[in-house]
Amino acid sequence: MKNIIDRRNAEFIPLIEEFKKELAHLNIKGITGPHFPGVGECYENAKYRFAFCGMETYGWNEMQDFMSRNANDYLNNSDDCLNQFLPLGWASNWHATFWAFVFRFLARFYHVDFCKLVDKNASDKEVQSILKSFVWAQANSIERYEVTSQWAGAEQQAWNAVKTASRKFDDLNHIINSCAPKVVFIVYSGANEDYFMNDDTLSSMYNVDAKHRKNCLRLSHAKIKYDYYYLRNSSTHVFKLPHPTWMGLYSGIGIDAYVDSLIKDIETYHIWDLLPVDQDIFTFPKAEENHLCLIDEKYHIIASIAHSLTQNNIVMYGGDIAGLFKMNNILTQYGAEYSEDNSRGIFKVISSAWKYYYDKGDFQAAYEIARSFVNKHGEYAY
């Protein structure tokens, strides 16, 4: 696929066509149409890739409009909203709404004055690029009946059928498969874990072993109530939070406290090596794909393990590094898996790591690598 928009469309169009067939014989008059993830035009090259998922929209396109339109055209609706800065006019306030949370987080994360960020008349192109650098989605593609469809005269039974058919869209993996955000904020405490922990729909590119479905770490923030999930299969970090209305009006601490805590967690969990420090970061350098497969990164991993082994005065069978690389989808330079049965390849990487640090003059790292890895007989293999 050429770009993320193409991948997003390829992910959703088959689902849309199936959905339309299911609705063909329903009375859809008055029912609000589905919302699909919007991708800002600066997201493709963003170093820090975020997705913000709300509970639902509050009024969207009519279902009749959706049924009559080309799927590609309809999918671009959400993109256009971001690229034209329309959300700046949607927030009823800047302290207890979805967009208040989104923009307050972005302002703090990128060290930009909040008033400057949300100024509709601002001409700073670098600041404007922040507003187009993320994915915007909903945990519920179809709004609740009582939000809009009921007041537009929609039949409850028809809406129920539409809602049931729409659940195929309500799966975070569709966003992960196509857009690969590093961090996802789900600002809806009622979101079911099936929305973001269902490996059955994860793309085959993540090489998920069906025998290991629960590759997820969950941590709960005790002081400020929210949950953090690390989805190891896709290397996605998910924060599940209360709705911003609750954060702003009923939490007793306000949205800014949540934002500060989230940024601290992003730093603590080492989600990125470096975080923004000033406006120079807005250049949005192209994100590197599969960086762990780069040879320098492999050497760094081996050196880190060797350092820990040396500190504890223990050694490790070098062939086990092959199993570690295989488990984490770290491939050879030819795109193949390292073999655990034939350890020759991985010992070559280990010896190359020793030479890499020795030639750099980092004799401590070279010494630790040489000391730490042995063969099956407990002997130094090189």
Side-chain angles (χ1 to χ4, degrees):
M1 298 281 175
K2 291 182 179 179
N3 54 46
I4 285 177
I5 296 296
D6 288 343
R7 294 202 295 270
R8 188 274 314 272
N9 290 0
E11 181 80 18
F12 279 96
I13 286 176
L15 301 175
I16 289 173
E17 298 305 328
E18 180 184 347
F19 180 67
K20 285 185 174 182
K21 290 178 182 178
E22 294 177 87
L23 270 56
H25 303 295
L26 294 175
N27 177 13
I28 59 173
K29 185 177 180 181
I31 299 178
T32 302
H35 177 273
F36 297 108
V39 182
E41 63 187 29
C42 294
Y43 180 82
E44 180 85 35
N45 293 326
K47 180 176 182 179
Y48 306 100
R49 288 185 173 179
F50 295 105
F52 295 89
C53 300
M55 176 182 176
E56 60 189 357
T57 52
Y58 188 76
W60 195 238
N61 301 302
E62 294 183 359
M63 186 64 74
Q64 290 174 318
D65 175 55
F66 163 75
M67 293 291 286
S68 66
R69 289 173 63 182
N70 173 274
N72 274 286
D73 180 48
Y74 191 89
L75 282 165
N76 290 337
N77 257 15
S78 301
D79 307 337
D80 293 341
C81 290
L82 294 178
N83 296 331
Q84 296 170 19
F85 311 114
L86 298 187
L88 291 176
W90 291 345
S92 57
N93 62 68
W94 293 122
H95 63 270
T97 60
F98 173 80
W99 290 109
F101 170 77
V102 172
F103 295 146
R104 286 196 175 280
F105 174 85
L106 293 173
R108 293 288 184 94
F109 185 80
Y110 287 111
H111 301 280
V112 175
D113 180 80
F114 176 76
C115 293
K116 183 178 180 181
L117 184 67
V118 299
D119 183 358
K120 299 177 185 177
N121 300 313
S123 58
D124 190 322
K125 298 299 182 184
E126 292 181 329
V127 172
Q128 287 182 344
S129 69
I130 296 174
L131 302 177
K132 301 182 289 186
S133 67
F134 57 89
V135 173
W136 163 46
Q138 310 296 339
N140 296 282
S141 56
I142 297 290
E143 303 165 1
R144 289 167 296 165
Y145 178 67
E146 62 271 20
V147 174
T148 46
S149 296
Q150 178 182 1
W151 311 110
E155 295 179 0
Q156 174 82 65
Q157 188 174 359
W159 180 90
N160 290 341
V162 169
K163 181 65 174 178
T164 298
S166 74
R167 296 197 187 281
K168 62 176 66 65
F169 303 131
D170 301 338
D171 184 340
L172 184 63
N173 283 339
H174 295 315
I175 298 173
I176 292 174
N177 290 342
S178 55
C179 303
K182 190 73 169 177
V183 174
V184 178
F185 298 107
I186 302 174
V187 287
Y188 168 41
S189 58
N192 192 292
E193 286 191 348
D194 287 343
Y195 170 65
F196 56 93
M197 288 179 60
N198 176 20
D199 287 342
D200 291 334
T201 55
L202 199 61
S203 171
S204 60
M205 68 183 175
Y206 291 107
N207 298 315
V208 177
D209 187 337
K211 295 179 294 186
H212 303 287
R213 291 297 185 189
K214 297 299 181 182
N215 290 329
C216 174
L217 168 69
R218 175 181 176 176
L219 301 174
S220 294
H221 198 290
K223 187 175 180 181
I224 302 180
K225 303 298 182 182
Y226 60 83
D227 294 321
Y228 161 80
Y229 299 80
Y230 176 61
L231 310 183
R232 195 180 76 189
N233 289 334
S234 59
S235 298
T236 309
H237 303 261
V238 176
F239 292 91
K240 184 183 177 186
L241 302 144
H243 191 278
T245 300
W246 190 90
M247 291 187 214
L249 299 181
Y250 307 110
S251 68
I253 56 176
I255 284 180
D256 287 339
Y258 277 86
V259 167
D260 289 341
S261 181
L262 291 166
I263 292 175
K264 183 177 180 181
D265 283 351
I266 288 172
E267 185 174 10
T268 300
Y269 299 154
H270 299 286
I271 295 176
W272 287 284
D273 291 337
L274 296 172
L275 298 184
V277 292
D278 53 40
Q279 192 161 325
D280 292 339
I281 206 70
F282 302 163
T283 52
F284 294 119
K286 181 85 172 174
E288 288 186 350
E289 305 267 341
N290 298 324
H291 72 285
L292 289 179
C293 292
L294 299 176
I295 193 65
D296 288 4
E297 290 294 337
K298 295 174 188 176
Y299 295 163
H300 174 72
I301 293 168
I302 290 169
S304 297
I305 295 172
H307 179 68
S308 179
L309 293 171
T310 303
Q311 283 189 317
N312 290 281
N313 196 30
I314 56 178
V315 294
M316 175 181 180
Y317 169 51
D320 287 340
I321 296 292
L324 176 69
F325 281 6
K326 183 177 181 180
M327 181 177 291
N328 291 278
N329 199 32
I330 301 173
L331 307 177
T332 70
Q333 60 179 321
Y334 305 108
E337 292 183 343
Y338 285 95
S339 172
E340 297 177 73
D341 298 326
N342 181 1
S343 58
R344 183 182 302 171
I346 198 65
F347 272 105
K348 175 62 176 175
V349 177
I350 294 172
S351 62
S352 296
W354 172 86
K355 186 177 187 302
Y356 171 80
Y357 285 104
Y358 186 88
D359 290 347
K360 282 181 62 176
D362 188 345
F363 302 119
Q364 180 65 34
Y367 164 75
E368 291 175 348
I369 292 171
R371 172 177 164 174
S372 297
F373 301 104
V374 297
N375 63 19
K376 289 183 177 179
H377 304 292
E379 302 167 338
Y380 288 111
Y382 55 93

